[in-house]
Amino acid sequence: MILVIGGSYQGKTEYALSTFEEARFFNQAHLFIKKRLSEGHTQAAIYDEIKATTSEGQWVIIADEIGNGVVPIDEADRAYREVAGRILIELAKDADEVYRVILGIGQRIK
Amino acid sequence: MITLVYGGSGSGKSAFAEDLVCKTNYPNRYYLATMKSFDEESEKRIKRHKSLRDGKGFITIESPIDIENAIIDKDSIVLLECMSNLVANEMFRDENPKTFTECADKILDDVKELSKKTDELVIVTNNIFEDGLSYDEGTKEYMRALGLINKTLAEISNEVYEVVVGIGIKI
């Protein structure tokens, strides 16, 4: 599995689509995490679901980095930020390669 | 020697910084904890961090303000975690909040004093600067202080890492 992360509107999807032509894509993983959290799922369950979904074949998981801001006032926003961060750390450990995309430029960081 | 570890919330910067410390062989490992427990959520965060440190031989010193007063033995490495809490504690410790320059000057002086007491100082600090939102003047002043401290610490540090999804990138 390959993980592509970066801030919003950095060209992550375009970079991933043009770089990994043969792969299957799990895009906007951060929004998937947010939705599942709002439905009451735990961090572990959400992680397991992403892993199960991407277990067959070569997958590229794409997600926004969302932790680089001021601590949100809203408790659910804080939980989302925390859980998304923790899940992405686990996915990065599992990944064969990790890329960070800034200004459309991808840097391999693992 | 100072090492600066920078990252967002949930980036894995603490675990990365602890790994850095645990790769060294100093007889004394100190953990300067700047977070004050004031509610259930902060208590939970403190507990999570404590469990991360379990078995790694850290001596924990609660140090929410005046970090230069921490009692540190020689032959030691100190992990200061984290700057964002320290800045909030120092800025708002008196009735009238400090200006960002007063706050930054005080903390940078304290860091320099602290670094004289130990062989190595590892400082964990936060990236709170990239959400593109506008904040009230008080929050902006806090952000200015943390931004100035981060930038100045980077200048005086021997090594600077940015941690992204648990991966440390030397910058």
Side-chain angles (χ1 to χ4, degrees):
Chain A
M1 182 263 287
I2 294 169
L3 181 65
V4 176
I5 47 108
S8 319
Y9 310 111
Q10 295 297 313
K12 296 184 296 298
T13 305
E14 203 183 334
Y15 175 83
L17 286 172
S18 62
T19 311
F20 312 107
E21 287 173 355
E22 301 297 313
R24 302 167 77 184
F25 296 89
F26 190 123
N27 202 358
Q28 306 219 316
H30 59 291
L31 294 181
F32 177 82
I33 294 167
K34 189 176 192 177
K35 183 164 183 289
R36 284 290 185 265
L37 265 180
S38 72
E39 294 162 356
H41 295 253
T42 64
Q43 179 180 317
I46 301 168
Y47 168 77
D48 288 344
E49 191 178 348
I50 295 173
K51 290 296 288 179
T53 307
T54 58
S55 62
E56 301 279 326
Q58 182 61 55
W59 280 82
V60 178
I61 299 174
I62 307 170
D64 279 13
E65 278 181 82
I66 60 159
N68 298 339
V70 173
V71 180
I73 306 275
D74 183 69
E75 192 183 341
D77 288 343
R78 289 199 298 276
Y80 162 48
R81 209 167 73 132
E82 182 76 22
V83 169
R86 300 289 156 220
I87 290 175
L88 289 178
I89 290 170
E90 289 311 308
L91 292 173
K93 281 182 196 162
D94 301 334
D96 302 303
E97 300 171 19
V98 179
Y99 294 81
R100 186 187 200 193
V101 180
I102 299 169
L103 306 168
I105 299 164
Q107 289 175 303
R108 187 169 174 182
I109 60 173
K110 179 183 173 184
Chain B
M1 163 166 175
I2 299 177
T3 302
L4 190 64
V5 177
Y6 179 66
S9 170
S11 63
K13 58 189 183 303
S14 306
F16 177 81
E18 282 166 26
D19 283 349
L20 278 184
V21 172
C22 290
K23 280 180 193 157
T24 66
N25 291 314
Y26 296 100
N28 299 300
R29 279 179 191 161
Y30 293 96
Y31 183 92
L32 255 60
T34 61
M35 188 181 223
K36 283 193 277 194
S37 175
F38 54 89
D39 61 10
E40 201 184 320
E41 195 174 319
S42 57
E43 193 56 42
K44 216 170 123 187
R45 293 187 80 87
I46 289 168
K47 274 194 182 141
R48 196 184 75 81
H49 279 258
K50 272 187 182 157
S51 71
L52 272 175
R53 295 199 300 281
D54 265 355
K56 293 180 180 172
F58 279 99
I59 300 160
T60 299
I61 303 174
E62 307 263 344
S63 203
I65 50 169
D66 298 327
I67 52 165
E68 84 284 10
N69 291 338
I71 296 165
I72 307 289
D73 276 340
K74 283 179 189 161
D75 300 321
S76 62
I77 183 162
V78 173
L79 175 55
L80 173 66
E81 173 141 28
C82 62
M83 191 49 75
S84 60
N85 285 309
L86 180 64
V87 171
N89 296 341
E90 289 286 3
M91 192 164 225
F92 304 109
R93 65 189 282 182
D94 303 316
E95 202 176 321
N96 292 319
K98 291 187 180 68
T99 65
F100 82 95
T101 46
E102 284 167 354
C103 182
D105 287 347
K106 151 85 171 125
I107 289 174
L108 290 166
D109 284 345
D110 291 357
V111 167
K112 284 170 195 160
E113 286 307 308
L114 178 67
S115 74
K116 284 179 195 163
K117 295 184 178 183
T118 181
D119 297 87
E120 276 192 52
L121 175 59
V122 179
I123 302 171
V124 175
T125 192
N126 301 59
N127 178 358
I128 61 163
F129 306 100
E130 296 176 14
D131 61 16
L133 303 175
S134 294
Y135 291 96
D136 61 273
E137 192 48 39
T139 307
K140 277 193 211 164
E141 194 71 358
Y142 169 79
M143 292 170 79
R144 287 182 198 115
L146 185 60
L148 176 57
I149 289 167
N150 285 348
K151 179 178 157 293
T152 312
L153 287 176
E155 284 166 7
I156 62 170
S157 293
N158 303 71
E159 291 180 353
V160 181
Y161 294 91
E162 181 184 16
V163 183
V164 179
V165 293
I167 300 165
I169 305 166
K170 203 167 179 178
I171 53 175

